[in-house]
Amino acid sequence: MEIWKEFEDMLFPEKGICFFCGEYSDEISHYICHQCKSRIEYLNKDIPFEFSYVDRIAYSLFYSNFIREHIFLYKYHGRGYLYKPFGEILINTFLERFSPEDIDIITNVPIHRRKKAMRGFDQSELLAGYISQRMNIYNSRKNLLRVKETKSQNKLNKEQRRTNIEGAFQVRKKEEFGGKRILILDDIITTGITFEESAKVLKDCGAEKVYGLALTSGMKF
Ligand SMILES: [Zn+2]
């Protein structure tokens, strides 16, 4: 039995490990332990605003210290593997707020290629890839691009944010998005301006619907 267990651990090294705290237990599912799960508030809600270009934006979690810290660790401190538990959380929201048959393409709000080179990965691209694979929906990669190196949105006021993000995105092959219903992934919604700007570019390509999905929202309402 022991040998078999070791063999199984070799095949599935992540099985039974909480990706948030590193706890090992047989009861862990979706890469999160009971204790870390109890520190997360699942909302699975739509942002209660009308946007000009995005048809609807949904998000998964309350913006708690625990979540803020772990998104920070995910993006800036080498915890890239958190895309898996975050991906599972997003799938849960996706199935509650959307229907797989209503989405043709999953893509992400991209970071600039220089930032990606420095970080080693694009956090939203990993999330989009994970969900698209699990939901069996086409994943568009490297077609919606960030062509402008923008400043971090959270240090700017509303008007500066708009100017900062204006013209930040471009599409290489427009025909890929024509007539399609697209879901864009991002880690966090701060104001919705980034989603709006990406959706605007996709609608210019003829996209029929553009939806947003994020892990959490820092928006006040
Ligand atoms: Zn844990």
Side-chain angles (χ1 to χ4, degrees):
M1 276 312 272
E2 270 306 298
I3 288 169
W4 173 248
K5 176 123 186 43
E6 274 172 35
F7 181 61
E8 199 185 46
D9 288 349
M10 217 159 66
L11 284 179
F12 306 102
E14 304 158 337
K15 199 172 152 264
I17 297 173
C18 174
F19 278 32
F20 291 95
C21 69
E23 179 76 22
Y24 187 91
S25 147
D26 284 343
E27 284 172 24
I28 288 165
S29 69
H30 300 112
Y31 313 104
I32 184 166
C33 73
H34 289 310
Q35 198 169 358
C36 289
K37 203 170 180 177
S38 72
R39 299 181 67 183
I40 289 178
E41 193 181 333
Y42 296 81
L43 298 175
N44 298 332
K45 278 184 175 171
D46 281 5
I47 299 279
F49 295 136
E50 292 261 328
F51 295 94
S52 311
Y53 300 99
V54 195
D55 293 278
R56 196 153 63 79
I57 302 178
Y59 66 107
S60 306
L61 309 170
F62 176 72
Y63 192 44
S64 61
N65 286 337
F66 182 84
I67 285 306
R68 184 171 33 228
E69 272 167 30
H70 282 88
I71 289 179
F72 188 78
L73 292 170
Y74 172 48
K75 286 159 77 168
Y76 307 112
H77 285 275
R79 304 244 185 129
Y81 52 80
L82 283 172
Y83 80 90
K84 288 186 179 180
F86 284 153
E88 290 295 330
I89 290 166
L90 284 162
I91 285 171
N92 193 21
T93 315
F94 177 72
L95 293 174
E96 246 188 58
R97 309 305 310 169
F98 302 93
S99 188
E101 52 271 22
D102 293 336
I103 305 294
D104 304 305
I105 294 178
I106 293 183
T107 192
N108 61 288
V109 171
I111 55 175
H112 193 271
R113 63 186 160 81
R114 263 189 286 271
K115 200 182 257 186
K116 185 178 171 182
M118 283 169 70
R119 193 172 293 174
F121 61 93
D122 178 330
Q123 70 277 2
S124 315
E125 188 181 66
L126 290 183
L127 297 173
Y130 190 84
I131 299 161
S132 93
Q133 197 180 27
R134 287 283 312 276
M135 296 290 102
N136 203 18
I137 297 170
Y138 176 73
N139 183 204
S140 166
R141 298 178 68 224
K142 299 183 176 69
N143 193 16
L144 174 64
L145 300 176
R146 191 181 292 242
V147 290
K148 193 170 134 186
E149 286 186 85
T150 49
K151 294 178 195 139
S152 176
Q153 290 283 80
N154 53 24
K155 293 184 186 79
L156 308 172
N157 68 34
K158 206 175 175 191
E159 199 40 52
Q160 288 169 324
R161 281 176 180 184
R162 208 175 290 281
T163 327
N164 184 40
I165 208 78
E166 217 174 357
F169 301 105
Q170 260 178 30
V171 169
R172 286 202 300 194
K173 294 173 287 172
K174 291 190 173 192
E175 61 279 10
E176 186 178 60
F177 296 126
K180 295 294 196 293
R181 299 159 304 169
I182 303 163
L183 180 73
I184 318 176
L185 263 295
D186 207 355
D187 51 341
I188 177 163
I189 313 158
T190 315
T191 57
I193 292 173
T194 311
F195 267 128
E196 274 284 78
E197 190 65 23
S198 352
K200 179 171 175 260
V201 172
L202 295 179
K203 291 254 165 112
D204 284 346
C205 299
E208 187 191 317
K209 295 276 182 194
V210 179
Y211 305 105
L213 176 60
L215 261 181
T216 188
S217 164
M219 279 177 98
K220 304 260 188 299
F221 38 73

